[in-house]
Amino acid sequence: QVHLVESGGGSVEAGGSLRLSCTASGYLPEINWLAWFRQAPGKEREGVATIDTLGGSTYYADSVKGRFTISNNAKNTVFLQMNSLKPEDTAMYYCASALTVRVPSSMRPEYYGRWGQGTQVTVSS
């Protein structure tokens, strides 16, 4: 079983930057994909970015392209570098993992079987 722990959230002014980290432990062969999702109050959980830990392919939500960068350190750590943050980026950010993902670019939450507890990101205007 895989256990995911996020860190790095916090409060920042618009235009600022944050770097989120997610460390995986447990049965790491179960992980091929690592992703970041976010959920704001009253909204559905949405995919932000995902990375294939084997091949290195990455996918981003249109709303964060050019501002966020996902990267990984081997199979057990994934990062989300968030620059030029906007108030609409305010949300709880979750790390998730999957063995296989049918359509990676869709970043559908149901593809990911393991989830962290989340870390809060708040961007003030």
Side-chain angles (χ1 to χ4, degrees):
Q1 191 168 353
V2 171
H3 183 57
L4 303 170
V5 178
E6 304 97 333
S7 62
S11 297
V12 66
E13 291 185 352
S17 298
L18 283 173
R19 188 184 194 220
L20 306 184
S21 299
C22 171
T23 300
S25 60
Y27 189 63
L28 298 183
E30 187 178 303
I31 300 174
N32 283 334
W33 291 87
L34 286 166
W36 288 97
F37 288 78
R38 67 186 181 186
Q39 188 166 19
K43 294 189 176 182
E44 294 186 354
R45 189 168 296 190
E46 64 170 345
V48 175
T50 188
I51 185 167
D52 174 1
T53 63
L54 297 179
S57 298
T58 58
Y59 300 88
Y60 295 90
D62 289 342
S63 59
V64 307
K65 282 181 182 176
R67 300 189 298 123
F68 291 10
T69 302
I70 189 171
S71 61
N72 72 298
N73 175 3
K75 267 199 172 185
N76 71 324
T77 307
V78 63
F79 306 97
L80 186 68
Q81 179 65 44
M82 305 186 294
N83 298 327
S84 302
L85 282 161
K86 304 176 181 180
E88 51 263 44
D89 294 318
T90 295
M92 184 71 79
Y93 282 70
Y94 298 91
C95 176
S97 70
L99 178 61
T100 60
V101 176
R102 190 171 181 179
V103 183
S105 59
S106 69
M107 287 184 283
R108 295 174 64 170
E110 56 263 39
Y111 288 156
Y112 296 82
R114 305 295 183 190
W115 293 81
Q117 293 300 306
T119 185
Q120 178 67 38
V121 171
T122 302
V123 184
S124 59
S125 58

